[in-house]
Amino acid sequence: MFRNLAERDRAALTAATTAAALFGRDDLAAVCITGRHRDRFLHALSTQEVNGQVAPAVAANAHCDAQGRLQALFTMVVQTEQIVLWTERQQAAALVEGLLRYRVAERVKVNEAPELGLIEVVGPKGLALLQAAGLPVPPQGGVATWAIGEQEGVIWAGTTGGNPAARHGPGVPVLSIQVPDEALGDLAGTLMEAGAAVGCHAAREALRIAEGWPRIGLDVDDGSLPAELGLGAAINFTKGCYLGQEAVAMLAYRGRLRRHLCWISSAGPTHPAAGWTLRDDKGRKAGRVGSGYVTETGLGLAVINRRSWAPDADFEAHGPDGEIVQVRSLTTTVADAFASQGDGGAA
């Protein structure tokens, strides 16, 4: 929902956009897939190329149902002996259950992996920070690994939101670091000694929203399709068959989107909350408000019906107790901003 950023939040946001800030990603959880058939198993159940990935590799990926409706969104980390899926913590158990539902004869195990942890270094000075901390630096568009005892640490580069496609406003570099959970404290201390500022959840959410990266259950509902959400980086349109492929491909190549994930900004000092109903200038239901943190522009996300969306269109956001707030759509939808990234790029 919308809320004002406190002074601490703004300081963390400034550090992330001008220097380097350290963010713990306790909001994400790891799901681990092991077994000799893990590649072909996940390949058949997700929108991204899996069989062609050579460890170490990282890519955005998604799991849909047979009708192409988004069930889970995750970052896929391909390692020599396992595939790790980083997804929203509250969705991890459902992802495990959803994948195992389709296991037939494959030799594969799918489990939540609390033994793994994830932190991020966000900001334009992140690579220099890694070097100062004595950590490996990933090549451009690539992945770096190093040994942590008998286990492996993994570092990959991307942008806030997890999607390197065209975006509303400049992207912010992010370095994601996967390590054993017991190593998180020491690693965070090393990075802070090297000069990383302390991040916070509100600042990280503001960056996610500016990038247009959706959260399931907040910006995504049970009927959402990947193309409506601008998730081209999570879809490979040249791979073989997978669950929901026909619906995903038909909408991308032939169909018209029923609705769009869009950026909205508040027109005044008050702001709508998640779940509020949007109505257009004719009073028709136009969509639903999703997530948003108030920055200088009051930027947020909303799902808006095709017939109602237009650049710089005005809407009324209606709350459950009769509240009404004026909002305006921005000049492009998230899907249009990410239109150039429809070939399954890396996260």
Side-chain angles (χ1 to χ4, degrees), residues 172-199:
V172 181
V174 55
L175 294 159
S176 301
I177 310 175
Q178 173 189 301
V179 295
D181 187 68
E182 64 266 20
L184 273 181
D186 290 342
L187 178 59
T190 299
L191 291 168
M192 291 176 66
E193 288 177 4
V198 178

Side-chain angles (χ1 to χ4, degrees), residues 48-332:
Q48 182 60 272
E49 175 73 46
V50 181
N51 287 338
Q53 302 284 354
V54 178
V58 176
N61 204 345
H63 170 57
C64 297
D65 65 13
Q67 288 73 45
R69 297 173 299 199
L70 187 68
Q71 301 299 298
L73 180 62
F74 46 86
T75 297
M76 174 180 69
V77 182
V78 179
Q79 298 178 263
T80 304
E81 300 295 333
Q82 64 184 4
I83 301 175
V84 178
L85 313 179
W86 286 100
T87 192
E88 294 176 35
R89 182 168 296 278
Q90 66 269 28
Q91 299 295 324
L95 175 58
V96 171
E97 180 182 354
L99 293 176
L100 287 177
R101 185 179 302 125
Y102 296 96
R103 183 179 63 179
V104 181
E106 294 92 347
R107 295 184 179 180
V108 66
K109 293 182 179 179
V110 184
N111 300 291
E112 293 187 60
E115 68 274 12
L116 293 176
L118 185 70
I119 58 176
E120 292 177 340
V121 176
V122 180
K125 298 183 179 180
L127 291 175
L129 185 74
L130 286 189
Q131 292 176 322
L135 294 170
V137 175
Q140 185 174 5
V143 182
T145 63
W146 81 105
I148 304 177
E150 297 182 353
Q151 301 186 64
E152 183 179 63
V154 186
I155 302 178
W156 63 93
T159 61
T160 50
N163 193 325
R167 55 188 60 79
H168 171 72
V172 181
V174 55
L175 294 159
S176 301
I177 310 175
Q178 173 189 301
V179 295
D181 187 68
E182 64 266 20
L184 273 181
D186 290 342
L187 178 59
T190 299
L191 291 168
M192 291 176 66
E193 288 177 4
V198 178
C200 62
H201 176 70
R204 190 63 184 83
E205 278 289 274
L207 291 169
R208 176 187 68 80
I209 291 159
E211 289 297 298
W213 198 252
R215 281 184 58 190
I216 290 180
L218 190 60
D219 306 302
V220 179
D221 61 31
D222 292 340
S224 296
L225 303 175
E228 297 172 342
L229 306 169
L231 297 177
I235 303 171
N236 188 300
F237 291 100
T238 63
K239 64 176 283 188
C241 295
Y242 60 87
L243 187 67
Q245 179 195 29
E246 183 176 358
V248 171
M250 285 186 63
L251 181 61
Y253 290 122
R254 303 178 188 176
R256 296 180 64 191
L257 300 182
R258 302 168 302 162
R259 52 191 177 174
H260 306 271
L261 181 66
C262 307
W263 288 285
I264 58 172
S265 61
S266 299
T270 56
H271 311 283
W276 285 25
T277 299
L278 291 179
R279 296 193 177 277
D280 61 20
D281 57 2
K282 297 180 175 61
R284 301 175 301 186
K285 185 176 179 180
R288 179 181 62 83
V289 176
S291 52
Y293 276 77
V294 176
T295 61
E296 288 76 7
T297 60
L299 195 67
L301 292 172
V303 174
I304 301 178
N305 300 334
R306 181 185 68 223
R307 69 177 184 180
S308 299
W309 184 85
D312 300 315
D314 292 319
F315 298 92
E316 287 186 344
H318 290 250
D321 298 319
E323 310 96 326
I324 299 178
V325 173
Q326 300 294 321
V327 300
R328 173 168 293 179
S329 63
L330 271 63
T331 55
T332 184

Side-chain angles (χ1 to χ4, degrees), residues 24-45:
R25 295 310 304 267
D26 292 340
D27 58 314
L28 302 180
V31 170
C32 189
I33 305 178
T34 57
R36 61 182 297 185
H37 296 157
R38 61 187 179 277
D39 289 355
R40 79 178 193 189
F41 173 74
L42 184 60
H43 187 89
L45 296 176

